[in-house]
């Protein structure tokens, strides 16, 4: 074989005319990449591509004006010139202006177009911007990607920003080429399937904490409820019954009683769906039936519920540490000492109260320590570094310990106050009694599930055993029950 032919067989040109030339393993030392548009994204992308060893040609409507904004090593030229110079062309132009590029159609034929565009609002129906771009350039190979990476992340490099870049395309050669560029730039490309998935990718950067909405709403609702409940009991009741104005309690004391209430209920809400699911599996005798949708959603949101609860618990700890700094607390302390002197009481030591306080504080500190551990382990970077058994030990075993400690902390806070009729203001039970209902129920059901009569079948069900071990076959056109075969 002549030397020329041998070389041409090894070089990138694909035999199939319908495939784009693949830019990848056999690419030259400094491959050329073109970018249409000279805005923020284009400038950041240029910097990143240059740093990764690419030659960059930027296509601008006004190249002379735009050239000053780019590094000297990048070439800024007309859109047509840039489109003709590279096999891979990034379209860094807003989607509403995609159609203005239509005259570049011949120059972009059989080339890879990377659509980085984002819309301005979440769309539930297609076509996506990438699919529309593919309609404008039917002879090009459109790849959707990089839209989830900000210009800032491109500038700072993948070490500071997110490493993941989602890509979708119909043409596998085109997708592979962009995957290779992505890797060379130091990002982790994620294959997001065919171009029909572009709408989902375009909606990604526009969604605002979708998985946090319900847990945050639950936290807010609980906070408002408990705050109002405590306000009625601790501020309104003394005003109505004794004419005492205790409104000064609203910013610190009322908030500080509300926060642990919310934290404990949220923590119980993390473990409630687990015990419900176990009870359901026991009742059904199988793990192969789907849980109701609401239970599935609830279980999916456990991490967020737990982190919201942790935030409330941590804030409660800070508030509690600051309580003695307040003027009102210092006044109350002095007043109590003065009264003691007036009453000629020399020793005010109350053994029971001292023990209650010591135990109450200790349980609270331990609960917060365990909760911090749970919160840290739920971070993806930490969770990825522990195996499944370690993760489930921390989240389940230590999680129940945290729930137990928090419940104990609340019980010790309440002590025997539940029996004091003065605590039932406006006939409302003390807040801690209300708060304890859910965590105590969850802990009791969990304890019940540890009972061998329930724990054993549950373990077997989770290993795939089913109570209905026989299968019924109905013979065709026969309704009689005696013709049913049992296997
Ligand atoms: P930009 O700063 O406004 O740049 C857009 C560029 O489009 C302009 O500089 C202009 O360059 C070019 N263009 C071409 N035809 C145009 C026309 N008919 N009308 C107006 N401009 C035209 O916007 P950007 O922030 O770089 O965003 C560009 C694309 O990247 C958008 O689709 C955006 O959704 C996407 N994106 C941006 C970011 C980000 O962080 N900025 C992140 C992800 C995705 P010339 O005047 O030189 O032609």
């Amino acid at each position: 074989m002549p030397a020329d032919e041998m070389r041409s067989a090894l070089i990138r040109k694909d035999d199939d005319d319908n495939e784009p030339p693949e830019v990848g393993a056999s690419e030259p030392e400094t491959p050329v990449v073109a970018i249409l548009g000279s805005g923020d994204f284009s400038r950041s992308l240029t910097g990143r591509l240059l740093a990764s060893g690419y030659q960059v040609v930027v296509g601008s409507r006004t190249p002379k004006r735009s050239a000053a904004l780019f590094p000297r090593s990048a070439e800024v030229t007309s859109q047509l010139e840039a489109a003709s110079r590279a096999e891979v062309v990034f379209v860094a132009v807003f989607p509403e202006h995609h159609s203005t590029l239509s005259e570049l159609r011949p120059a972009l034929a059989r080339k890879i177009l990377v659509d980085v565009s984002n819309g301005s609002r979440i769309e539930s129906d297609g076509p996506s911007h990438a699919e529309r771009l593919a309609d404008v350039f039917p002879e090009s190979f459109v790849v959707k990607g990089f839209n989830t990476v900000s210009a800032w992340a491109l500038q700072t490099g993948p070490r500071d920003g997110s490493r993941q870049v989602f890509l979708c395309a119909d043409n596998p050669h085109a997708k592979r080429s962009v995957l290779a560029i992505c890797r060379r730039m130091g990002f982790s490309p994620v294959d997001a399937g065919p171009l029909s998935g572009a709408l989902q990718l375009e909606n990604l950067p526009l969604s605002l904490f979708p998985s946090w909405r319900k847990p945050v709403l639950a936290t807010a609702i609980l906070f408002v409820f408990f705050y109002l409940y405590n306000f009625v009991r601790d501020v309104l009741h003394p005003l109505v019954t004794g004419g005492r104005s205790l409104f000064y309690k609203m910013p610190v004391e009322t908030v500080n009683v509300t926060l642990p209430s919310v934290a404990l209920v949220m923590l119980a809400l993390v473990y409630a769906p687990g015990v419900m699911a176990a009870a359901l599996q026991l009742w059904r005798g199988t793990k192969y039936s789907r849980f109701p949708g609401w239970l599935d959603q609830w279980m999916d949101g456990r991490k967020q519920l737990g982190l919201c609860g942790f935030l409330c618990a941590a804030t409660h700890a800070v508030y509690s540490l600051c309580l003695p700094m307040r003027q009102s607390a210092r006044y109350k302390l002095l007043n109590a000492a003065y009264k003691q002197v007036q009453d000629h009481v020399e020793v005010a030591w109350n053994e029971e109260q001292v023990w209650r306080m010591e135990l109450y504080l200790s349980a609270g500190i331990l609960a917060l320590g365990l909760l911090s551990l749970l919160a840290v382990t739920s971070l993806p970077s930490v969770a990825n570094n522990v195996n499944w058994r370690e993760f489930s030990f921390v989240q389940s075993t230590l999680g129940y310990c945290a729930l137990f400690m928090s419940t104990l902390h609340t019980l010790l806070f309440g002590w025997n106050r539940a029996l004091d009729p003065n605590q039932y203001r406006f006939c409302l039970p003390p807040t801690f009694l209300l708060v304890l209902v859910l965590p105590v129920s969850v802990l009791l059901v969990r304890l019940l599930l540890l009972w061998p009569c329930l724990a054993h079948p549950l373990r077997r069900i989770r290993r795939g055993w089913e109570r209905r071990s026989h299968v019924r076959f109905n013979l065709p056109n026969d309704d009689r029950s005696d013709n049913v075969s049992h296997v």
Side-chain angles (χ1 to χ4, degrees), residues 384-406:
N384 290 344
N385 282 308
V386 291
N387 65 28
W388 171 244
R389 197 163 170 210
E390 291 161 348
F391 183 77
S392 106
F393 171 75
V394 175
Q395 293 296 330
S396 178
T397 313
L398 293 188
Y400 273 107
C401 290
L403 181 61
F404 173 73
M405 277 297 166
S406 313

PDB file of all heavy atoms in Angstrom, residues 384-406:
ATOM      1  N   ASN A 384     -19.921   9.259  49.381  1.00  0.00           N
ATOM      2  CA  ASN A 384     -19.264   8.480  48.326  1.00  0.00           C
ATOM      3  C   ASN A 384     -18.047   7.719  48.841  1.00  0.00           C
ATOM      4  O   ASN A 384     -17.545   6.828  48.173  1.00  0.00           O
ATOM      5  CB  ASN A 384     -18.821   9.402  47.176  1.00  0.00           C
ATOM      6  CG  ASN A 384     -20.022   9.913  46.421  1.00  0.00           C
ATOM      7  OD1 ASN A 384     -21.113   9.365  46.549  1.00  0.00           O
ATOM      8  ND2 ASN A 384     -19.827  10.965  45.634  1.00  0.00           N
ATOM      9  N   ASN A 385     -17.562   8.121  50.006  1.00  0.00           N
ATOM     10  CA  ASN A 385     -16.357   7.485  50.533  1.00  0.00           C
ATOM     11  C   ASN A 385     -16.620   6.434  51.614  1.00  0.00           C
ATOM     12  O   ASN A 385     -15.693   5.947  52.242  1.00  0.00           O
ATOM     13  CB  ASN A 385     -15.402   8.548  51.097  1.00  0.00           C
ATOM     14  CG  ASN A 385     -14.671   9.231  49.977  1.00  0.00           C
ATOM     15  OD1 ASN A 385     -14.082   8.562  49.137  1.00  0.00           O
ATOM     16  ND2 ASN A 385     -14.742  10.538  49.929  1.00  0.00           N
ATOM     17  N   VAL A 386     -17.901   6.138  51.864  1.00  0.00           N
ATOM     18  CA  VAL A 386     -18.210   5.062  52.818  1.00  0.00           C
ATOM     19  C   VAL A 386     -19.005   4.000  52.069  1.00  0.00           C
ATOM     20  O   VAL A 386     -19.695   4.311  51.094  1.00  0.00           O
ATOM     21  CB  VAL A 386     -19.035   5.570  54.040  1.00  0.00           C
ATOM     22  CG1 VAL A 386     -18.220   6.456  54.925  1.00  0.00           C
ATOM     23  CG2 VAL A 386     -20.313   6.270  53.601  1.00  0.00           C
ATOM     24  N   ASN A 387     -18.888   2.748  52.507  1.00  0.00           N
ATOM     25  CA  ASN A 387     -19.657   1.707  51.814  1.00  0.00           C
ATOM     26  C   ASN A 387     -21.098   1.700  52.336  1.00  0.00           C
ATOM     27  O   ASN A 387     -21.442   2.432  53.272  1.00  0.00           O
ATOM     28  CB  ASN A 387     -18.983   0.330  51.933  1.00  0.00           C
ATOM     29  CG  ASN A 387     -18.953  -0.169  53.373  1.00  0.00           C
ATOM     30  OD1 ASN A 387     -19.820   0.186  54.173  1.00  0.00           O
ATOM     31  ND2 ASN A 387     -17.969  -0.983  53.697  1.00  0.00           N
ATOM     32  N   TRP A 388     -21.929   0.864  51.705  1.00  0.00           N
ATOM     33  CA  TRP A 388     -23.356   0.906  52.008  1.00  0.00           C
ATOM     34  C   TRP A 388     -23.620   0.586  53.480  1.00  0.00           C
ATOM     35  O   TRP A 388     -24.450   1.209  54.128  1.00  0.00           O
ATOM     36  CB  TRP A 388     -24.102  -0.067  51.080  1.00  0.00           C
ATOM     37  CG  TRP A 388     -25.521  -0.219  51.480  1.00  0.00           C
ATOM     38  CD1 TRP A 388     -26.138  -1.342  51.923  1.00  0.00           C
ATOM     39  CD2 TRP A 388     -26.519   0.822  51.532  1.00  0.00           C
ATOM     40  NE1 TRP A 388     -27.447  -1.079  52.252  1.00  0.00           N
ATOM     41  CE2 TRP A 388     -27.708   0.249  52.022  1.00  0.00           C
ATOM     42  CE3 TRP A 388     -26.506   2.189  51.237  1.00  0.00           C
ATOM     43  CZ2 TRP A 388     -28.869   0.973  52.200  1.00  0.00           C
ATOM     44  CZ3 TRP A 388     -27.670   2.912  51.428  1.00  0.00           C
ATOM     45  CH2 TRP A 388     -28.829   2.309  51.902  1.00  0.00           C
ATOM     46  N   ARG A 389     -22.852  -0.413  54.032  1.00  0.00           N
ATOM     47  CA  ARG A 389     -23.081  -0.822  55.423  1.00  0.00           C
ATOM     48  C   ARG A 389     -22.728   0.318  56.385  1.00  0.00           C
ATOM     49  O   ARG A 389     -23.452   0.581  57.355  1.00  0.00           O
ATOM     50  CB  ARG A 389     -22.239  -2.059  55.722  1.00  0.00           C
ATOM     51  CG  ARG A 389     -22.720  -2.742  56.932  1.00  0.00           C
ATOM     52  CD  ARG A 389     -22.258  -4.134  57.109  1.00  0.00           C
ATOM     53  NE  ARG A 389     -22.630  -4.554  58.457  1.00  0.00           N
ATOM     54  CZ  ARG A 389     -21.967  -5.412  59.169  1.00  0.00           C
ATOM     55  NH1 ARG A 389     -20.898  -5.976  58.682  1.00  0.00           N
ATOM     56  NH2 ARG A 389     -22.365  -5.714  60.371  1.00  0.00           N
ATOM     57  N   GLU A 390     -21.610   0.993  56.082  1.00  0.00           N
ATOM     58  CA  GLU A 390     -21.194   2.106  56.947  1.00  0.00           C
ATOM     59  C   GLU A 390     -22.228   3.238  56.887  1.00  0.00           C
ATOM     60  O   GLU A 390     -22.601   3.822  57.906  1.00  0.00           O
ATOM     61  CB  GLU A 390     -19.815   2.626  56.501  1.00  0.00           C
ATOM     62  CG  GLU A 390     -18.695   1.645  56.779  1.00  0.00           C
ATOM     63  CD  GLU A 390     -17.441   1.904  55.954  1.00  0.00           C
ATOM     64  OE1 GLU A 390     -17.480   2.704  54.989  1.00  0.00           O
ATOM     65  OE2 GLU A 390     -16.415   1.279  56.257  1.00  0.00           O
ATOM     66  N   PHE A 391     -22.697   3.514  55.654  1.00  0.00           N
ATOM     67  CA  PHE A 391     -23.668   4.593  55.478  1.00  0.00           C
ATOM     68  C   PHE A 391     -24.955   4.277  56.240  1.00  0.00           C
ATOM     69  O   PHE A 391     -25.502   5.119  56.948  1.00  0.00           O
ATOM     70  CB  PHE A 391     -23.968   4.778  53.984  1.00  0.00           C
ATOM     71  CG  PHE A 391     -24.892   5.913  53.691  1.00  0.00           C
ATOM     72  CD1 PHE A 391     -24.441   7.220  53.724  1.00  0.00           C
ATOM     73  CD2 PHE A 391     -26.235   5.683  53.405  1.00  0.00           C
ATOM     74  CE1 PHE A 391     -25.305   8.282  53.467  1.00  0.00           C
ATOM     75  CE2 PHE A 391     -27.099   6.727  53.156  1.00  0.00           C
ATOM     76  CZ  PHE A 391     -26.625   8.026  53.184  1.00  0.00           C
ATOM     77  N   SER A 392     -25.417   3.013  56.096  1.00  0.00           N
ATOM     78  CA  SER A 392     -26.682   2.660  56.750  1.00  0.00           C
ATOM     79  C   SER A 392     -26.494   2.591  58.275  1.00  0.00           C
ATOM     80  O   SER A 392     -27.418   2.899  59.021  1.00  0.00           O
ATOM     81  CB  SER A 392     -27.247   1.380  56.149  1.00  0.00           C
ATOM     82  OG  SER A 392     -27.102   0.322  56.992  1.00  0.00           O
ATOM     83  N   PHE A 393     -25.275   2.239  58.745  1.00  0.00           N
ATOM     84  CA  PHE A 393     -25.020   2.241  60.197  1.00  0.00           C
ATOM     85  C   PHE A 393     -25.166   3.666  60.736  1.00  0.00           C
ATOM     86  O   PHE A 393     -25.840   3.901  61.744  1.00  0.00           O
ATOM     87  CB  PHE A 393     -23.611   1.699  60.499  1.00  0.00           C
ATOM     88  CG  PHE A 393     -23.200   1.885  61.938  1.00  0.00           C
ATOM     89  CD1 PHE A 393     -23.727   1.072  62.932  1.00  0.00           C
ATOM     90  CD2 PHE A 393     -22.307   2.894  62.300  1.00  0.00           C
ATOM     91  CE1 PHE A 393     -23.373   1.264  64.267  1.00  0.00           C
ATOM     92  CE2 PHE A 393     -21.958   3.089  63.629  1.00  0.00           C
ATOM     93  CZ  PHE A 393     -22.491   2.268  64.616  1.00  0.00           C
ATOM     94  N   VAL A 394     -24.541   4.623  60.026  1.00  0.00           N
ATOM     95  CA  VAL A 394     -24.600   6.008  60.507  1.00  0.00           C
ATOM     96  C   VAL A 394     -26.021   6.545  60.399  1.00  0.00           C
ATOM     97  O   VAL A 394     -26.585   7.062  61.371  1.00  0.00           O
ATOM     98  CB  VAL A 394     -23.610   6.908  59.715  1.00  0.00           C
ATOM     99  CG1 VAL A 394     -23.761   8.356  60.116  1.00  0.00           C
ATOM    100  CG2 VAL A 394     -22.185   6.451  59.949  1.00  0.00           C
ATOM    101  N   GLN A 395     -26.627   6.392  59.200  1.00  0.00           N
ATOM    102  CA  GLN A 395     -27.927   7.022  58.962  1.00  0.00           C
ATOM    103  C   GLN A 395     -29.056   6.324  59.713  1.00  0.00           C
ATOM    104  O   GLN A 395     -30.007   6.979  60.120  1.00  0.00           O
ATOM    105  CB  GLN A 395     -28.236   7.048  57.453  1.00  0.00           C
ATOM    106  CG  GLN A 395     -27.323   7.951  56.655  1.00  0.00           C
ATOM    107  CD  GLN A 395     -27.466   9.422  57.026  1.00  0.00           C
ATOM    108  OE1 GLN A 395     -28.520   9.889  57.423  1.00  0.00           O
ATOM    109  NE2 GLN A 395     -26.386  10.174  56.903  1.00  0.00           N
ATOM    110  N   SER A 396     -28.958   4.991  59.875  1.00  0.00           N
ATOM    111  CA  SER A 396     -30.059   4.295  60.534  1.00  0.00           C
ATOM    112  C   SER A 396     -29.782   4.107  62.033  1.00  0.00           C
ATOM    113  O   SER A 396     -30.480   4.679  62.871  1.00  0.00           O
ATOM    114  CB  SER A 396     -30.295   2.958  59.838  1.00  0.00           C
ATOM    115  OG  SER A 396     -31.316   2.277  60.488  1.00  0.00           O
ATOM    116  N   THR A 397     -28.708   3.360  62.378  1.00  0.00           N
ATOM    117  CA  THR A 397     -28.465   3.069  63.797  1.00  0.00           C
ATOM    118  C   THR A 397     -28.180   4.359  64.577  1.00  0.00           C
ATOM    119  O   THR A 397     -28.848   4.656  65.573  1.00  0.00           O
ATOM    120  CB  THR A 397     -27.284   2.089  63.934  1.00  0.00           C
ATOM    121  OG1 THR A 397     -27.483   1.028  63.002  1.00  0.00           O
ATOM    122  CG2 THR A 397     -27.181   1.532  65.334  1.00  0.00           C
ATOM    123  N   LEU A 398     -27.178   5.130  64.103  1.00  0.00           N
ATOM    124  CA  LEU A 398     -26.861   6.372  64.823  1.00  0.00           C
ATOM    125  C   LEU A 398     -28.000   7.379  64.707  1.00  0.00           C
ATOM    126  O   LEU A 398     -28.206   8.201  65.596  1.00  0.00           O
ATOM    127  CB  LEU A 398     -25.554   6.975  64.296  1.00  0.00           C
ATOM    128  CG  LEU A 398     -24.288   6.165  64.571  1.00  0.00           C
ATOM    129  CD1 LEU A 398     -23.051   6.959  64.178  1.00  0.00           C
ATOM    130  CD2 LEU A 398     -24.184   5.787  66.046  1.00  0.00           C
ATOM    131  N   GLY A 399     -28.744   7.294  63.610  1.00  0.00           N
ATOM    132  CA  GLY A 399     -29.898   8.193  63.417  1.00  0.00           C
ATOM    133  C   GLY A 399     -30.944   7.944  64.489  1.00  0.00           C
ATOM    134  O   GLY A 399     -31.479   8.888  65.078  1.00  0.00           O
ATOM    135  N   TYR A 400     -31.242   6.664  64.742  1.00  0.00           N
ATOM    136  CA  TYR A 400     -32.214   6.351  65.801  1.00  0.00           C
ATOM    137  C   TYR A 400     -31.670   6.757  67.168  1.00  0.00           C
ATOM    138  O   TYR A 400     -32.424   7.182  68.045  1.00  0.00           O
ATOM    139  CB  TYR A 400     -32.578   4.863  65.775  1.00  0.00           C
ATOM    140  CG  TYR A 400     -33.710   4.587  64.815  1.00  0.00           C
ATOM    141  CD1 TYR A 400     -33.485   3.941  63.606  1.00  0.00           C
ATOM    142  CD2 TYR A 400     -35.007   5.010  65.113  1.00  0.00           C
ATOM    143  CE1 TYR A 400     -34.524   3.720  62.717  1.00  0.00           C
ATOM    144  CE2 TYR A 400     -36.047   4.792  64.224  1.00  0.00           C
ATOM    145  CZ  TYR A 400     -35.794   4.142  63.030  1.00  0.00           C
ATOM    146  OH  TYR A 400     -36.819   3.946  62.157  1.00  0.00           O
ATOM    147  N   CYS A 401     -30.330   6.634  67.345  1.00  0.00           N
ATOM    148  CA  CYS A 401     -29.724   7.093  68.613  1.00  0.00           C
ATOM    149  C   CYS A 401     -29.942   8.595  68.771  1.00  0.00           C
ATOM    150  O   CYS A 401     -30.255   9.076  69.871  1.00  0.00           O
ATOM    151  CB  CYS A 401     -28.226   6.794  68.635  1.00  0.00           C
ATOM    152  SG  CYS A 401     -27.865   5.060  68.756  1.00  0.00           S
ATOM    153  N   ALA A 402     -29.777   9.331  67.662  1.00  0.00           N
ATOM    154  CA  ALA A 402     -29.967  10.792  67.703  1.00  0.00           C
ATOM    155  C   ALA A 402     -31.418  11.116  68.043  1.00  0.00           C
ATOM    156  O   ALA A 402     -31.702  12.020  68.845  1.00  0.00           O
ATOM    157  CB  ALA A 402     -29.584  11.410  66.358  1.00  0.00           C
ATOM    158  N   LEU A 403     -32.341  10.346  67.449  1.00  0.00           N
ATOM    159  CA  LEU A 403     -33.772  10.569  67.730  1.00  0.00           C
ATOM    160  C   LEU A 403     -34.066  10.258  69.203  1.00  0.00           C
ATOM    161  O   LEU A 403     -34.798  11.003  69.871  1.00  0.00           O
ATOM    162  CB  LEU A 403     -34.623   9.686  66.805  1.00  0.00           C
ATOM    163  CG  LEU A 403     -36.138   9.825  66.945  1.00  0.00           C
ATOM    164  CD1 LEU A 403     -36.597  11.243  66.622  1.00  0.00           C
ATOM    165  CD2 LEU A 403     -36.875   8.838  66.047  1.00  0.00           C
ATOM    166  N   PHE A 404     -33.457   9.184  69.704  1.00  0.00           N
ATOM    167  CA  PHE A 404     -33.674   8.810  71.103  1.00  0.00           C
ATOM    168  C   PHE A 404     -33.121   9.893  72.034  1.00  0.00           C
ATOM    169  O   PHE A 404     -33.784  10.315  72.983  1.00  0.00           O
ATOM    170  CB  PHE A 404     -33.005   7.452  71.381  1.00  0.00           C
ATOM    171  CG  PHE A 404     -33.044   7.068  72.826  1.00  0.00           C
ATOM    172  CD1 PHE A 404     -34.234   6.651  73.421  1.00  0.00           C
ATOM    173  CD2 PHE A 404     -31.905   7.164  73.621  1.00  0.00           C
ATOM    174  CE1 PHE A 404     -34.283   6.322  74.776  1.00  0.00           C
ATOM    175  CE2 PHE A 404     -31.945   6.840  74.962  1.00  0.00           C
ATOM    176  CZ  PHE A 404     -33.139   6.424  75.545  1.00  0.00           C
ATOM    177  N   MET A 405     -31.901  10.361  71.743  1.00  0.00           N
ATOM    178  CA  MET A 405     -31.261  11.380  72.596  1.00  0.00           C
ATOM    179  C   MET A 405     -32.068  12.680  72.581  1.00  0.00           C
ATOM    180  O   MET A 405     -32.231  13.336  73.615  1.00  0.00           O
ATOM    181  CB  MET A 405     -29.832  11.657  72.109  1.00  0.00           C
ATOM    182  CG  MET A 405     -28.840  10.658  72.617  1.00  0.00           C
ATOM    183  SD  MET A 405     -28.763  10.750  74.410  1.00  0.00           S
ATOM    184  CE  MET A 405     -27.910   9.281  74.793  1.00  0.00           C
ATOM    185  N   SER A 406     -32.549  13.052  71.408  1.00  0.00           N
ATOM    186  CA  SER A 406     -33.331  14.298  71.300  1.00  0.00           C
ATOM    187  C   SER A 406     -34.630  14.153  72.073  1.00  0.00           C
ATOM    188  O   SER A 406     -35.086  15.101  72.735  1.00  0.00           O
ATOM    189  CB  SER A 406     -33.657  14.614  69.841  1.00  0.00           C
ATOM    190  OG  SER A 406     -32.523  14.488  69.051  1.00  0.00           O
TER     191      SER A 406
END
